[in-house]
Amino acid sequence: MKKNILLTGAMLLSLNTNLLYATTSTNTIGSSSIGDSIFNTEGNGGIDTTHYNLNIKWNSKTGAIDAVATVDITATQKLSAFSLDLHGLKVSSVKVDSVAVKYSRGKDKLMIVLPKTVVKNANFKVEVNYAGKPLTIENSVTSGWETVAEGATALGEPNSAKNWFPSNNHPKDKATYAFHITVPKSYDVVANGIPEETTETENLKTYNFKTREPMASYLTVIAIGHYDLEKLTAKDGTPLYNYYFKGMKEEDKKVFANEIEIMSFFSEKFGAYPFASGGFIASKGGSILAYETQTRSFFGTPTSEQMFAHEIAHQWFGDLVSLSNWKESWLKEGFATYSAALWFEHKQGEKSMDAWVKNSYESMMGIQKLPKAGLAELFKAFQTKERMMNAKEVTALIELGTKGKTDAQELKKALAHIHKEGISNYKLDVVLNEMSFPYFDLTFNQYSKFSDIIDGKTDNKSFDFEKLIANLASAPRSVSSLDQIYSAGVYTRGALAMHSLRLKVGDEKFFAILKEYFKRYKNSHAGSNDFEAIATQVSGENLDNFFKAWLEERLIPDMPEYGLFKKDYAN
C-alpha cells in the first residue's frame, strides 16, 4: 500500500539543511536561530552582518521586485556554512566573494555553503540575486514590503523585513545600510539615512540613501509614493529630512511643528542625538500606527504630538540601544511612552505629569471613561443592539454616572423625556443632557454593569479584580508572546516603572542612569539586567526589590506618592 507523507516546514528545513550541508562538518555550521525567546526561528548564528547594499527595482504594475543584496559578513566562529532569513521570493544565484556557491531554501531560511571553511573573524561578501512579489508575513505587526494605494511601503517590526531582503533578522545583529531603489519616474522614494544624488534613465529613477550608523533589520523603511520634502536643521546641526505625502493638509502637519524642540529636549535628558540625520515620513492613509524606523520615523496620518514624541524618543530607546531579546520590549516601549510624558511635562508643567500618571495608572485598573453625549456613535461602533429602555433602567444608568449622588430635580427632568413605551438606548442624549455629571467614570465592574443595563441583561456578573489587573497591567518581564510585546504592561506599566525609579532616586541620578545606559550600549543591544545593573551602580542604591516589584510581580505596585492604591478600584 502506498503511503502519503506530509512534511512540516520544520521537517523540510531540516531535510534541506542536511542535504545541502552533507559535506560540511556540523560544528562549523552556523546555527539557524539567534536564540530569541519570542521569535525562536529568527536570526542566525555564526555570523555578524556589518553592511547591507540593497539594489531593488520595483515594478509598479505587478508589485514585484527584482533585487541584488550584497551583505558584508564577519564569521563569529570557524564557519563552513550558515543561513540568512528570507521569506518567499525566488533566489536565482548566490555568490561568496564573487564565487558561485551552493545554496538551498527552507522555511524562511536561505542556507549557504561557503567555498571553503573560514576561521573566526574572517570577512567575506555574500551576493544574493532574487526576485518576486513579496509575500505577507504572518504573526507580525507589519506586513513587510507591501503594495499600497500610493505605491509600496516596507516596514519590518518586529520580524517582517525578511520578506524583501535576506538578513540576519534580529536586533542583536546591527549593520550599516545602502539603499538603491529604482522606480518609475513619477514616484518618489524615501528610506533610512542620508539621501544622496539620484540617477535617471528615460523612464526610471534610482534613489540612493545611506546610513552611517549600524541599524537593526526591523528598523529599515522604504516608502514609495508621492512626497514633498522639507529640509530642516536641528539645534546641534543634524540635517532633518521630513517627507509629507503630497496634498497633506496644513492642519495635519501641525503635530510635527515641535520636532526641533523635542529633539533638543531629549538630547539634553538622554545625551546627544545619536545619528547623522533625522526626520520622518508622514504617509497617506488612515492608519493610527507609527514606527521607530531609524533616522526616519514612519507615521500614519493624522497622528498626534504624543505619538510624534514617542517615536522620536525611540531613536535612543530601541534604535541606538536595541533589544537583546524581544521579550525585553519594555526597554524600548516603556521608555518611549515615558519620554512622551516627559516632553509634555517640560512643555506644560508638572501638572501634566501628575495627570498622565493618574490616567495611566487608572487605565490599568480597568477604569473606563465614557462620554455623556454621543453614546449612540459609541454603540454603533461596538455594534450594540438598539432596544427600548424603561425609566428604572435609565435611573440605574444615571446612578452610575453620579456615583450614587443623583440630584432629585435633575433626575425628574431627565426622566420626563421617557415616554410610556420607553426610550431607545440610541437616543439617551436628551435624557443625559439634563444631568450635571461631566462623563461616566467607571471601574471595570461598573462598566460591566453599564453594559448590562444598555443590553438589557440582568445577570450583572462581576470580575475577579486581581485577575483583571494582572492581565491589563501584566509584568513587563513576563512577556512570552507577540501580543504581549505590545501590551499595556509593556508600554504603560513599563513607563510608570521609569517614573517610579525617577521618584525613588531623584532627577539628577535618574537622568545620569539614562545617559550612562546609552553611553555603554550605544550602537549595540541590551537587556533588563544590563539596565538594572547601571541603575544600581549610578544611584548607589540596592534596587533589587524595586525592579522585582515593577517588572516581575504579578500585580502592579501601588503609587502612594499620588494616592493611587489598587484596592480603591476593586468595586
Side-chain angles (χ1 to χ4, degrees), residues 212-213 232-241 259-279 295 312 315-316 320:
R212 292 184 184 173
E213 299 82 13
L232 300 175
T233 304
K235 289 182 179 181
D236 64 0
T238 301
L240 306 177
Y241 303 93
E259 178 183 20
I260 291 172
E261 294 303 320
I262 294 172
M263 287 181 64
S264 177
F265 173 69
F266 287 161
S267 295
E268 175 190 335
K269 296 299 182 183
F270 309 149
Y273 178 75
F275 303 121
S277 69
T295 70
I312 291 178
Q315 301 303 308
W316 286 264
L320 177 62

Side-chain angles (χ1 to χ4, degrees), residues 421-474:
E421 64 274 16
I423 187 169
S424 167
N425 57 355
Y426 273 53
K427 297 179 180 179
L428 290 172
D429 281 11
V430 67
V431 175
L432 296 177
N433 284 342
E434 300 290 355
M435 306 305 300
S436 58
F437 68 89
Y439 55 86
F440 289 94
D441 188 2
L442 309 173
T443 66
F444 199 83
N445 276 321
Q446 289 169 342
Y447 173 69
S448 176
K449 186 176 180 180
F450 175 96
S451 299
D452 286 344
I453 293 170
I454 293 296
D455 292 335
K457 297 178 181 178
T458 57
D459 49 0
N460 291 330
K461 291 181 180 177
S462 61
F463 290 81
D464 181 324
F465 178 67
E466 286 198 356
K467 185 176 181 180
L468 171 71
I469 63 172
N471 288 327
L472 289 176
S474 55

Side-chain angles (χ1 to χ4, degrees), residues 35-306:
D36 192 87
S37 61
I38 307 295
F39 302 104
N40 55 21
T41 62
E42 297 296 330
N44 306 275
I47 60 171
D48 174 25
T49 61
T50 58
H51 182 72
Y52 292 86
N53 192 72
L54 303 177
N55 283 275
I56 298 174
K57 183 178 179 181
W58 174 68
N59 187 318
S60 61
K61 295 179 180 178
T62 66
I65 60 175
D66 191 353
V68 180
T70 305
V71 189
D72 292 2
I73 296 176
T74 299
T76 60
Q77 65 175 65
K78 186 177 181 180
L79 195 67
S80 61
F82 66 97
S83 54
L84 294 172
D85 300 293
L86 184 64
H87 176 76
L89 302 170
K90 184 177 181 179
V91 175
S92 56
S93 69
V94 178
K95 294 180 180 179
V96 174
D97 292 335
S98 301
V99 177
V101 297
K102 295 178 181 179
Y103 65 93
S104 183
R105 297 297 300 276
K107 183 175 173 57
D108 288 355
K109 293 290 180 180
L110 170 63
M111 290 83 72
I112 300 169
V113 176
L114 293 170
K116 62 180 180 179
T117 300
V118 299
V119 298
K120 183 179 179 179
N121 295 323
N123 299 317
F124 55 92
K125 284 183 184 290
V126 176
E127 179 187 287
V128 181
N129 285 262
Y130 60 101
K133 187 171 183 178
L135 303 175
T136 298
I137 299 290
E138 303 296 336
N139 299 317
S140 182
V141 174
T142 64
S143 301
W145 185 295
E146 63 177 337
T147 300
V148 296
E150 279 290 285
T153 58
L155 294 162
E157 187 168 357
N159 64 326
S160 52
K162 63 187 176 184
N163 94 325
W164 63 282
F165 70 98
S167 67
N168 202 13
N169 195 31
H170 192 275
K172 285 178 74 172
D173 191 359
K174 303 167 81 166
T176 54
Y177 283 76
F179 302 95
H180 312 285
I181 313 299
T182 301
V183 297
K185 271 188 175 181
S186 59
Y187 287 92
D188 303 309
V189 177
V190 190
N192 311 83
I194 297 173
E196 299 188 330
E197 188 175 349
T198 59
T199 57
E200 297 184 21
T201 62
E202 184 178 351
N203 299 311
L204 300 174
K205 192 171 185 179
T206 299
Y207 289 79
N208 304 291
F209 290 80
K210 283 186 180 178
T211 70
R212 292 184 184 173
E213 299 82 13
M215 175 170 68
S217 56
Y218 87 93
L219 297 172
T220 55
V221 63
I222 301 293
I224 300 174
H226 305 92
Y227 291 94
D228 291 320
L229 170 61
E230 172 190 60
K231 295 181 183 179
L232 300 175
T233 304
K235 289 182 179 181
D236 64 0
T238 301
L240 306 177
Y241 303 93
N242 302 330
Y243 294 84
Y244 301 95
F245 73 83
K246 286 188 182 297
M248 185 173 179
K249 296 177 182 177
E250 291 301 317
E251 183 68 24
D252 290 340
K253 294 181 181 180
K254 289 181 180 179
V255 298
F256 303 106
N258 284 318
E259 178 183 20
I260 291 172
E261 294 303 320
I262 294 172
M263 287 181 64
S264 177
F265 173 69
F266 287 161
S267 295
E268 175 190 335
K269 296 299 182 183
F270 309 149
Y273 178 75
F275 303 121
S277 69
F280 57 83
I281 303 168
S283 69
K284 189 174 185 178
S287 172
I288 62 170
L289 298 179
Y291 301 94
E292 66 259 28
T293 40
Q294 191 165 306
T295 70
R296 200 110 323 122
S297 302
F298 184 94
F299 297 90
T301 53
T303 188
S304 66
E305 188 172 331
Q306 180 273 335

Side-chain angles (χ1 to χ4, degrees), residues 378-394:
L378 190 66
F379 296 159
K380 286 176 185 176
F382 285 94
Q383 298 182 331
T384 301
K385 186 176 180 181
E386 186 173 9
R387 72 176 193 89
M388 301 301 288
M389 296 177 63
N390 59 40
K392 183 178 179 181
E393 290 174 318
V394 173

Side-chain angles (χ1 to χ4, degrees), residues 275-403:
F275 303 121
S277 69
F280 57 83
I281 303 168
S283 69
K284 189 174 185 178
S287 172
I288 62 170
L289 298 179
Y291 301 94
E292 66 259 28
T293 40
Q294 191 165 306
T295 70
R296 200 110 323 122
S297 302
F298 184 94
F299 297 90
T301 53
T303 188
S304 66
E305 188 172 331
Q306 180 273 335
M307 187 79 81
F308 186 44
H310 179 108
E311 300 307 329
I312 291 178
H314 268 309
Q315 301 303 308
W316 286 264
F317 298 104
D319 294 10
L320 177 62
V321 181
S322 294
L323 305 176
S324 59
N325 192 302
W326 276 103
K327 72 178 182 180
E328 305 279 21
S329 55
W330 82 273
L331 275 171
K332 70 184 188 75
E333 298 301 348
F335 277 70
T337 301
Y338 185 53
S339 297
L342 284 172
W343 162 248
F344 282 100
E345 179 187 37
H346 170 74
K347 180 182 177 183
Q348 299 173 350
E350 189 176 336
K351 288 184 178 179
S352 170
M353 180 62 75
D354 294 344
W356 174 81
V357 170
K358 184 174 187 293
N359 290 336
S360 297
Y361 195 87
E362 289 190 340
S363 72
M364 291 185 292
M365 295 297 106
I367 293 296
Q368 304 290 313
K369 298 181 187 296
L370 304 178
K372 189 175 67 174
L375 281 174
E377 294 304 313
L378 190 66
F379 296 159
K380 286 176 185 176
F382 285 94
Q383 298 182 331
T384 301
K385 186 176 180 181
E386 186 173 9
R387 72 176 193 89
M388 301 301 288
M389 296 177 63
N390 59 40
K392 183 178 179 181
E393 290 174 318
V394 173
T395 300
L397 205 66
I398 289 172
E399 286 285 306
L400 288 173
T402 64
K403 297 190 178 296

Side-chain angles (χ1 to χ4, degrees), residues 410-425:
E410 288 183 353
L411 180 61
K412 184 178 180 180
K413 289 181 180 178
L415 297 181
H417 293 284
I418 301 176
H419 303 296
K420 185 177 180 180
E421 64 274 16
I423 187 169
S424 167
N425 57 355

